[in-house]
Amino acid sequence: MTAFLVLIRRDLALSARQAADALVAVMFAVLVVVLFPFGVGPEADILSRVSAGVVWVAALLAALLSLDRLFQADHDDGSLEQLALGPLPLWALSLAKAAAHWLVTGLPLIVAAPILALMLQMPASGLSTLVLAMALGTPCFSLLGAIGAALVLGARRGGVLVAFLILPLTIPVLIFGAAATEAALTGQEAAPHLMLLGAFLLTSLALAPAAAAAGLRQALG
Amino acid sequence: MLLEAEGLVGGRGGHPLFGPLSLALAAGGALKVTGPNGAGKSTLLRLFAGLLVPMGGVVRANAALRYLGHHDAVKPAMTVFENLVFWRRFYGSDAAAAALVEVGLDRLAATPARYLSAGQRRRLALARALDPAAPIWLLDEPTNGLDADSVGRLEAALARHRSAGGATIVATHASLALPEATMLELGLT
Amino acid sequence: MTGSLHRFANPARFQRLSQAALPWCTGGTIVAFAVGLYLSLIGSPPDYQQSETVRIMYVHVPAAWMALGAYTTMALASAIALIWRHRLADLIAQSSAPIGAGFTVIALATGMLWGQPMWGTFWVWDARLTSVLVLLFLYLGYIALINAFEDPERGARAGAILALVGWINVPIVKFSVDWWNTLHQPASISRFAKPALHPSIMTPLLVMAIAYMLLFATLLLLRVRTATIEHRLRTLAMARARG
């Protein structure tokens, strides 16, 4: 457990030293959202109609942006093999790296989401559900992303490749997350969608670290 | 026996490089692996570290080990001391400032690692690997980029470790004094 | 299990067996397609609602089945390759992917052609079409990944893991897309009509399904044979580089 926390703390410290790297994800999400009114027009009813979906897509793209570095930096400078020799099994290593990724990108995105939603004229009645759904959905991005990041270690064009591999797998998160927000906005029950999102998170939590560990093992061997 | 190999066959990409090879290293022992590029020196060390799976035979390390690979595993954004402390805490051993003295980096402890020269980075990596809490040290080309002074300090550290009951395998093509070490020369097959 | 698998792993034995099986598979494919196409295009009655356009179904539905079938083959072979470190299973998995992607493209294209007369537009975000589209992305991601490494061995390992992850995800994606579809499309919009299982429809559909299966087997055998020979050439080249 100590090693697990020590690793998370190091990753957070490294991100803090390169604060620009950490903020770039949120800035990217803001930019995507700001671009949207230019594309579809500033009419409030159109924007509020698409607000839930746009915020989710922006968050997903922003979370993917930094994923290819998740293991790559440690792989390139030899840290990954040193980490593999430590007391943590590879799945715990993947879990720690995904947790650090979530703290650096997912958490700021959750904070930014209501602001982005307000910019898109989302009625206030949807905001609390949006934040709740984000809290369940963004960890899925980091967990699934860890699989992709482990698989592309040493590959050409790793960054684009991660997005290509992971985006299809995140479709359920997008569907349940946006549906929950949508339900809250139209006065329907959001709970079923949130429960499905939670189920997806639990499944990812159980399976993704193992899959990422398998990817790491083949990258180390 | 701290390290054992029986009928060990090592290879890369499904092709055997050396073996079958049997050896044992007791407390205080040292093995010096030499041979031309591509003979499998690094592969042998990675097998002992458990980073690779043998193509045949068995390999056992019966105590905690530290491994120094080709890469230094140094984070440029952290200071010299932070780099060392992270690895020591991660492995669950003492964060000994003494290790920095041993490699002559104590005066650079608070310097961000990005300002280190290649040789100084190598010494920082050595400080991580030369951990007295682990009886087994596996060192792959430890003298890369080191000046004569640092090589001398490394030899002294290895001697101290062995007299304290440790064992080491060093793969190198440079001259490094390892008194009474078993020699293993790998050839191209 | 392992023993019997390893007998097939012997490349020479595989080449011999596949050599013997190939003419039968090829012949079977041609006969099955001839019978199937006759039954579906000429020998079956037009649908009372969709008239002649229903015939697209005989090409579309089996293609969609085989798109899934090829992915399952790929995932199973990947599992065998990961667990038993089995060279031939790797080759089967890698060879299945482009064939499966081909079936997926056929399913999508015929789905769009079928959609035109039914919905008046080539593309609707119908649950099934959307799921098949996601399946195509899964195939393309796999193909991109296995070709992204200098060392084909690494590509094979990474691809095998991805195939298994994708396989676990396929039903989840299918479920979520159905869920999304029911939220956004009222039931009044007609989906692909579940064909009433009348024998006049069932028979041509089944014959076509068998024809597609045989086609998959034939193409797979051909591709694996080629890949085996390529692998042997690479091994020889590497052995020569070592002197």
Side-chain angles (χ1 to χ4, degrees):
Chain A
M1 197 60 201
T2 327
F4 190 84
L5 295 176
V6 167
L7 178 55
I8 291 181
R9 203 177 316 143
R10 182 205 67 159
D11 275 15
L12 292 181
L14 281 174
S15 302
R17 301 276 160 91
Q18 293 139 348
D21 291 12
L23 282 178
V24 101
V26 179
M27 286 312 299
F28 183 78
V30 172
L31 217 65
V32 171
V33 166
V34 168
L35 282 177
F36 236 80
F38 294 116
V40 301
E43 290 86 356
D45 50 334
I46 295 180
L47 287 180
S48 81
R49 174 74 196 80
V50 297
S51 56
V54 171
V55 171
W56 271 96
V57 172
L60 172 54
L61 294 179
L64 280 181
L65 200 61
S66 50
L67 265 178
D68 63 311
R69 303 301 300 161
L70 189 61
F71 295 114
Q72 190 72 53
D74 281 335
H75 181 257
D76 292 349
D77 69 11
S79 296
L80 192 59
E81 55 190 24
Q82 297 297 340
L83 290 172
L85 292 175
L88 291 181
L90 285 177
W91 66 263
L93 211 62
S94 312
L95 194 59
K97 296 291 285 182
H101 178 264
W102 179 75
L103 287 170
V104 173
T105 59
L107 210 52
L109 282 171
I110 297 174
V111 176
I115 303 164
L116 297 178
L118 285 175
M119 284 168 72
L120 291 171
Q121 316 290 339
M122 183 189 282
S125 58
L127 293 184
S128 57
T129 311
L130 174 69
V131 171
L132 196 57
M134 279 281 183
L136 292 169
T138 46
C140 299
F141 298 156
S142 296
L143 285 164
L144 291 173
I147 305 177
L151 288 180
V152 302
L153 279 179
R156 298 184 294 266
R157 304 178 305 271
V160 189
L161 201 53
V162 173
F164 202 40
L165 302 183
I166 293 308
L167 279 176
L169 305 180
T170 55
I171 288 173
V173 182
L174 201 58
I175 289 176
F176 300 137
T181 320
E182 205 68 49
L185 285 173
T186 51
Q188 284 162 329
E189 198 67 57
H193 309 289
L194 290 174
M195 279 178 194
L196 284 169
L197 199 54
F200 191 86
L201 173 59
L202 288 179
T203 313
S204 308
L205 206 54
L207 298 181
L216 289 182
R217 198 167 296 120
Q218 57 93 18
L220 285 167
Chain B
M1 286 297 141
L2 285 177
L3 284 164
E4 289 170 279
E6 282 165 39
L8 177 64
V9 181
R12 253 197 322 263
H15 299 274
L17 284 173
F18 60 79
L21 182 72
S22 294
L23 57 91
L25 217 53
L31 175 72
K32 189 170 177 181
V33 189
T34 54
N37 291 338
K41 299 191 293 291
S42 297
T43 305
L44 180 67
L45 258 69
R46 295 175 71 83
L47 281 165
F48 273 111
L51 287 168
L52 288 179
V53 182
M55 291 181 74
V58 286
V59 57
R60 264 194 305 274
N62 298 321
L65 60 83
R66 295 292 177 268
Y67 165 76
L68 176 77
H70 288 271
H71 298 290
D72 295 329
V74 166
K75 291 291 173 195
M78 307 198 311
T79 68
V80 167
F81 190 62
E82 283 172 331
N83 264 294
L84 180 66
V85 165
F86 163 67
W87 287 113
R88 288 290 164 92
R89 287 214 182 115
F90 184 74
Y91 288 122
S93 47
D94 301 329
L100 285 182
V101 181
E102 198 154 66
V103 297
L105 283 177
D106 46 322
R107 282 191 305 171
L108 294 173
T111 311
R114 74 166 61 88
Y115 299 121
L116 298 187
S117 73
Q120 288 168 330
R121 268 207 306 277
R122 195 63 177 163
R123 272 145 70 191
L124 177 50
L126 270 173
R128 163 177 53 72
L130 307 185
D131 182 350
I136 303 169
W137 294 352
L138 305 171
L139 309 178
D140 197 351
E141 301 289 0
T143 57
N144 263 5
L146 293 193
D147 49 29
D149 208 27
S150 307
V151 173
R153 268 199 290 258
L154 171 62
E155 286 166 347
L158 288 173
R160 261 202 310 283
H161 182 59
R162 287 169 65 190
S163 61
T168 183
I169 302 182
V170 182
T172 183
H173 55 245
S175 61
L176 182 78
L178 268 178
E180 291 161 52
T182 314
M183 302 296 285
L184 174 66
E185 179 156 6
L186 296 177
L188 289 174
T189 46
Chain C
M1 179 75 181
T2 342
S4 66
L5 278 170
H6 277 291
R7 247 185 300 129
F8 289 107
N10 179 338
R13 184 186 299 266
F14 171 78
Q15 291 297 44
R16 254 198 332 276
L17 282 174
S18 59
Q19 181 86 53
L22 206 47
W24 292 98
C25 285
T26 317
T29 309
I30 293 168
V31 171
F33 264 111
V35 175
L37 284 176
Y38 170 80
L39 286 178
S40 48
L41 298 185
I42 300 158
S44 64
D47 187 72
Y48 76 101
Q49 264 185 327
Q50 307 178 27
S51 69
E52 302 291 344
T53 51
V54 73
R55 301 189 191 285
I56 299 175
M57 176 190 73
Y58 299 118
V59 183
H60 170 82
V61 172
W65 285 346
M66 276 322 288
L68 262 180
Y71 201 90
T72 308
T73 308
M74 194 171 102
L76 278 177
S78 295
I80 292 170
L82 278 179
I83 297 167
W84 287 293
R85 298 227 144 210
H86 202 289
R87 190 60 220 157
L88 186 64
D90 263 338
L91 294 180
I92 290 176
Q94 293 184 1
S95 305
S96 301
I99 310 173
F103 285 128
T104 315
V105 169
I106 293 175
L108 280 175
T110 51
M112 288 165 78
L113 289 176
W114 196 9
Q116 218 304 318
M118 275 172 68
W119 299 310
T121 168
F122 280 110
W123 185 263
V124 280
W125 292 94
D126 165 84
R128 286 186 208 190
L129 268 184
T130 311
S131 298
V132 174
L133 183 63
V134 176
L135 188 62
L136 180 64
F137 290 139
L138 290 177
Y139 272 123
L140 295 181
Y142 174 86
I143 294 171
L145 181 65
I146 60 172
N147 290 309
F149 292 90
E150 306 297 344
D151 175 10
E153 203 67 36
R154 281 283 310 281
R157 295 266 95 78
I161 299 164
L162 182 69
L164 284 179
V165 171
W167 190 64
I168 295 171
N169 250 272
V170 164
I172 301 177
V173 169
K174 178 82 178 72
F175 169 77
S176 64
V177 169
D178 284 347
W179 179 268
W180 159 81
N181 207 246
T182 48
L183 287 179
H184 292 279
Q185 287 194 348
S188 64
I189 293 182
S190 82
R191 317 269 190 78
F192 281 115
K194 270 229 163 96
L197 299 181
H198 192 269
S200 67
I201 289 175
M202 248 348 241
T203 315
L205 196 59
L206 281 179
V207 176
M208 283 300 280
I210 292 169
Y212 269 88
M213 253 183 260
L214 284 167
L215 177 64
F216 175 64
T218 310
L219 293 176
L220 187 62
L221 278 179
L222 275 173
R223 287 190 61 91
V224 174
R225 280 173 63 84
T226 319
T228 315
I229 295 167
E230 268 176 7
H231 179 63
R232 200 186 302 161
L233 279 176
R234 219 174 27 236
T235 316
L236 283 173
M238 271 177 90
R240 190 167 305 157
R242 276 164 212 288

